[in-house]
Amino acid sequence: MTDPAEGRLSFTEMFDLPVAVDLRTAARALGIGSTTAYRLIREDEFPCSVLRVGRRYRIPTNELMRALGIEDRPLYSVDLKLDADDPSTHL
């Protein structure tokens, strides 16, 4: 048996996901196997809302990210260097 966390999505991959993902992708992000994910849905214990579209499950990415404790959008810290020759950078 393989460890489900081995295929876990990286932080960067999470921000490249579409608006909604399939159950297997959500399970990978959560570090659980698809069998466990299906069981959690049956028991109404999946950590975020699940949409049923026909015979398939779709999980809204923003709710999946919240369940993982990830903000909706990443914040990047940028080093701003003031250009001594550019007066518009001086306050």
Side-chain angles (χ1 to χ4, degrees):
M1 179 184 247
T2 61
D3 179 13
E6 285 179 8
R8 196 172 222 167
L9 294 174
S10 72
F11 186 77
T12 305
E13 289 173 317
M14 286 295 299
F15 287 100
D16 289 335
L17 292 175
V19 173
V21 296
D22 61 21
L23 186 61
R24 289 178 191 250
T25 302
R28 274 185 63 206
L30 293 165
I32 60 175
S34 57
T35 303
T36 301
Y38 282 108
R39 181 180 53 77
L40 291 172
I41 288 173
R42 275 194 316 273
E43 296 172 356
D44 201 25
E45 296 291 327
F46 201 75
C48 50
S49 68
V50 177
L51 306 171
R52 179 108 189 215
V53 181
R55 298 179 67 187
R56 299 175 189 253
Y57 292 108
R58 302 295 289 174
I59 290 73
T61 301
N62 64 336
E63 291 193 27
L64 176 62
M65 293 174 76
R66 276 192 210 112
L68 292 167
I70 300 172
E71 295 295 322
D72 287 335
R73 290 195 167 79
L75 299 175
Y76 296 100
S77 140
V78 178
D79 242 354
L80 299 177
K81 295 181 182 178
L82 295 178
D83 185 357
D85 296 330
D86 184 1
S88 66
T89 61
H90 299 283
L91 298 178

